[in-house]
Amino acid sequence: MEKKEGEGDHKALVHVLVLPYPIHGHLNPMLQFAKRLASKGLKVSISPTLFMTKSMKIDAGPVSIEPISDGCDERGHEEIDDAQLYLEQLTTSGSQSLTKIIEKHQHSSNKIGCLVYDSFLPWALDVAQRFGLRGAAFFTQSCAVDAVYYYVHQGQLVFPVTGNSVSLPALPVLRVSELPSLVSRSESYPAVLDLLVSQFSNLDRVDWALFNTFDKLEEELVRWMEEIFRCKTIGPTVPSAYLDKSIEGDTNYGVTLHDQNADCMNWLNTRETGSVVYISFGSIAELVPEQMDELAWGLKGCNYYFLWVVRASEEDKLPNKFKEETQDKGLIVKWCPQLEVLAHHAIGCFVTHCGWNSTLEALSLGVPLVGVPQWTDQPTNAKYVEEVWGVGLRPSVDENGIVGRIEMEHCIREVMEGERGRDIKRNACKWKELTKEASSPGGSSHNNIEEFVTEISGG
Ligand code: UDP
């Protein structure tokens, strides 16, 4: 289509720098958002750490890559085996490195005008504002989870959390075990808890707070957030091919963490519609060996076809001979193109840790879930999956927090073929349509992104 005179020209002058927290689950949504901004005519760069650019394959498409240093360029955060020390190092090196990137462009036609920074990195706003840049905090977790950390920040939720449940404004009553684990077990990772609470430390100074969710998904919370911050929902940040289909070639995140097993798509092509259980616990979660065992025997017990992502570092927890004994029914891979897998007609259910990206992807693609949360935001996401959105089941855990094989088998069967499974599938279809609606012209996230682009372009 021919460009009208002047159209898009002012946008091309705005250079937006996007700064994700250096883990895969944050790079995916922020790169995806960066690509969406670039598709609107903005000049956009993204700053993964140098280590990320070496250890992952990143295809940022129209977005330029401006690596940042967290001071651990060789082995990433593994170089510093202490979360507190790593976060201090990230703040010091990251601030210096970000300053250099901004300075480099300061007097060029590519001058950076706006920083979209991961809300886990509040120091980035201080750097941006020293240069007079505008700042947008990008929240990669759900509004519900963010609200819990906000209440901690405000002193409305204190440690240790006592009683069986908590009742907080705009949230359903949450059993203590349904709070983010960093809060319910506040002693477990104090440095990470501090990081998450400090997301709000300077939020009163941001120009925008962007949330990777959409209005209808967390309606009451979004309204509540809007009272406090200049908040815009812009999610789900799933490639356009799976939502509004408006960006040509936007079919995947462009980030590959491990070697993918190309066979799995061919394997899925030979399966019938809705016949396969897909299992993945994301990029970080480590199952205790007993949980791996119970999951494995639960899968064998229900006798469906299954595709299971077991990262190389988790492989030795698989029961002896399990692979051989189940090779007629199952395919175990180290990593897969998850979006393509979830979009495949053969997938009948997704056994997931309920990481926020995986949850949004399943909602976008209408895939029913069995939620087996492990830590951080996952218990809260799993609560919403089962009780608020009705798109899955949460198996019960024993006194050690383990889902036993019989319970696992029962929940998978129920979702695949049971009475509750029928309701779950209906709800999954409903949410799939609502995600499309939010991302398409006239939808809430679509409109918010348009508004954001106009605002940063000085409109
Ligand atoms: N993922 C993938 N292939 C896999 C497993 C996961 O591409 O085999 C992607 C998945 O699509 C999602 C991300 O990894 O975008 C995991 O993010 P999530 O927030 O669900 O979990 P985390 O890894 O942060 O715990």
Side-chain angles (χ1 to χ4, degrees):
M1 200 170 72
E2 216 176 294
K3 196 167 83 170
K4 290 192 206 116
E5 203 183 332
E7 189 181 87
D9 292 348
H10 63 298
K11 288 183 188 168
L13 295 176
V14 182
H15 184 179
V16 182
L17 182 66
V18 176
L19 177 67
Y21 183 83
I23 47 176
H24 177 252
H26 287 226
L27 177 60
N28 266 4
M30 292 192 75
L31 174 56
Q32 208 48 44
F33 183 64
K35 286 195 245 165
R36 200 162 269 271
L37 293 182
S39 79
K40 309 272 177 199
L42 301 178
K43 157 100 184 120
V44 189
S45 304
I46 191 160
S47 294
T49 56
L50 262 171
F51 173 69
M52 289 175 108
T53 61
K54 288 190 224 165
S55 58
M56 300 174 182
K57 283 185 215 136
I58 305 176
D59 172 5
V63 174
S64 313
I65 297 186
E66 292 268 7
I68 197 171
S69 175
D70 58 357
C72 301
D73 300 342
E74 294 309 313
R75 287 191 295 123
H77 60 82
E78 278 178 19
E79 273 178 45
I80 302 180
D81 199 18
D82 177 290
Q84 175 71 39
L85 293 180
Y86 173 73
L87 292 169
E88 284 168 15
Q89 169 82 36
L90 172 63
T91 306
T92 316
S93 299
S95 298
Q96 287 165 359
S97 196
L98 176 61
T99 301
K100 279 193 194 139
I101 293 173
I102 298 172
E103 277 173 348
K104 187 175 95 183
H105 295 290
Q106 186 77 334
H107 301 292
S108 74
S109 55
N110 273 338
K111 186 175 170 181
I112 297 165
C114 175
L115 179 73
V116 176
Y117 69 95
D118 194 310
S119 59
F120 281 21
L121 308 172
W123 49 261
L125 181 67
D126 300 334
V127 177
Q129 291 186 334
R130 268 208 305 279
F131 287 91
L133 271 59
R134 297 208 275 172
F138 188 106
F139 286 78
T140 60
Q141 296 187 323
S142 78
C143 262
V145 167
D146 296 323
V148 172
Y149 293 121
Y150 177 76
Y151 289 127
V152 174
H153 182 260
Q154 296 301 100
Q156 285 170 263
L157 184 61
V158 289
F159 306 129
V161 184
T162 49
N164 294 326
S165 61
V166 294
S167 187
L168 295 161
L171 286 163
V173 171
L174 295 170
R175 287 197 296 265
V176 172
S177 60
E178 294 167 341
L179 287 165
S181 70
L182 300 169
V183 172
S184 59
R185 286 180 269 131
S186 53
E187 71 297 346
S188 56
Y189 295 93
V192 188
L193 175 59
D194 268 3
L195 175 78
L196 294 176
V197 175
S198 70
Q199 295 180 98
F200 299 96
S201 60
N202 56 6
L203 209 64
D204 53 332
R205 287 199 274 114
V206 290
D207 296 282
W208 304 272
L210 307 173
F211 289 85
N212 187 14
T213 185
F214 61 96
D215 284 10
K216 286 194 177 156
L217 191 64
E218 297 190 273
E219 204 143 31
E220 197 182 342
L221 278 155
V222 172
R223 299 286 89 84
W224 170 85
M225 282 273 184
E226 280 171 349
E227 303 274 305
I228 310 174
F229 309 113
R230 200 158 168 225
C231 146
K232 286 186 195 298
T233 52
I234 50 79
T237 54
V238 165
S240 170
Y242 297 99
L243 295 170
D244 54 316
K245 300 190 170 41
S246 70
I247 308 176
E248 210 179 308
D250 186 25
T251 54
N252 57 58
Y253 287 113
V255 181
T256 309
L257 188 54
H258 304 282
D259 284 339
Q260 299 196 131
N261 185 324
D263 283 355
C264 69
M265 297 316 294
N266 291 331
W267 185 87
L268 280 177
N269 287 340
T270 63
R271 305 289 160 228
E272 283 175 21
T273 299
S275 66
V276 176
V277 180
Y278 168 62
I279 310 101
S280 165
F281 287 78
S283 61
I284 302 172
E286 293 173 359
L287 297 189
V288 294
E290 191 189 344
Q291 182 62 82
M292 195 81 151
D293 233 43
E294 294 303 308
L295 173 55
W297 298 125
L299 279 173
K300 185 160 193 276
C302 53
N303 204 32
Y304 295 115
Y305 285 104
F306 66 86
L307 170 63
W308 187 359
V309 177
V310 180
R311 300 191 315 273
S313 55
E314 294 283 283
E315 259 179 333
D316 60 357
K317 297 179 193 164
L318 279 168
N320 254 342
K321 302 228 170 71
F322 178 76
K323 240 181 181 170
E324 293 78 359
E325 280 182 35
T326 54
Q327 61 188 357
D328 299 347
K329 283 285 181 177
L331 180 65
I332 299 179
V333 297
K334 293 183 175 55
W335 195 248
C336 76
Q338 178 162 302
L339 275 165
E340 266 184 76
V341 166
L342 289 176
H344 199 284
H345 68 85
I347 299 297
C349 117
F350 177 14
V351 178
T352 171
H353 67 315
C354 294
W356 188 234
N357 293 305
S358 294
T359 305
L360 286 175
E361 290 161 14
L363 285 163
S364 304
L365 294 162
V367 181
L369 300 173
V370 173
V372 186
Q374 299 299 300
W375 73 311
T376 163
D377 57 336
Q378 298 151 22
T380 317
N381 298 342
K383 154 97 174 176
Y384 271 72
V385 160
E386 185 179 63
E387 290 186 13
V388 179
W389 306 315
V391 293
L393 294 180
R394 265 179 311 173
S396 317
V397 293
D398 68 14
E399 62 287 358
N400 299 318
I402 305 287
V403 178
R405 63 191 72 182
I406 294 173
E407 173 69 359
M408 189 72 80
E409 186 181 327
H410 165 74
C411 285
I412 295 174
R413 276 190 194 288
E414 190 61 27
V415 170
M416 290 289 275
E417 299 180 278
E419 185 104 11
R420 290 182 75 186
R422 274 195 284 281
D423 287 341
I424 287 171
K425 281 179 197 125
R426 250 195 312 278
N427 288 331
C429 286
K430 179 188 93 179
W431 285 110
K432 178 179 173 178
E433 290 314 310
L434 290 173
T435 54
K436 282 214 174 81
E437 180 189 289
S439 329
S440 302
S444 55
S445 294
H446 178 275
N447 289 352
N448 286 340
I449 295 170
E450 291 288 326
E451 261 175 42
F452 178 65
V453 170
T454 306
E455 287 169 19
I456 51 177
S457 308

